[in-house]
């Protein structure tokens, strides 16, 4: 999904849900040439200095679910 920050119009976040960290890492390594072209196009919209920030968020689960 793609979300726009209501407090900062023009600032977007992209989210993915994957079953595990290992699957997420595989996701990074199995991109296609077409994927790279789309990522380059998306990066071209960045208006700040340097590359867009990448932040990873993970869902926390209890160690011993009831």
């Amino acid at each position: 999904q793609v979300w726009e920050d209501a407090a900062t119009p023009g600032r977007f976040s992209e989210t993915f849900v994957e079953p595990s960290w290992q699957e997420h890492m595989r996701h990074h390594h199995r991109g296609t040439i077409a994927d790279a072209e789309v990522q380059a196009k998306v990066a071209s919209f960045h208006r700040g200095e340097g590359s867009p920030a990448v932040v990873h968020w993970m869902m926390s689960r209890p160690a011993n679910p009831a």
Side-chain angles (χ1 to χ4, degrees):
Q1 296 177 326
V2 176
W3 303 82
E4 184 171 9
D5 185 342
T8 310
R11 180 178 182 193
F12 295 88
S13 293
E14 180 180 28
T15 61
F16 297 88
V17 176
E18 297 184 281
S20 68
W21 183 252
Q22 291 81 12
E23 184 60 26
H24 175 71
M25 295 308 293
R26 282 194 283 279
H27 178 137
H28 280 288
H29 296 288
R30 66 173 180 248
T32 65
I33 292 171
D35 293 334
E37 291 170 352
V38 169
Q39 288 177 348
K41 178 71 172 174
V42 169
S44 75
F45 293 111
H46 179 63
R47 288 187 229 143
E49 291 186 27
S51 298
V54 174
V55 178
H56 289 88
W57 292 78
M58 295 172 51
M59 182 171 70
S60 178
R61 294 185 184 178
N64 295 312

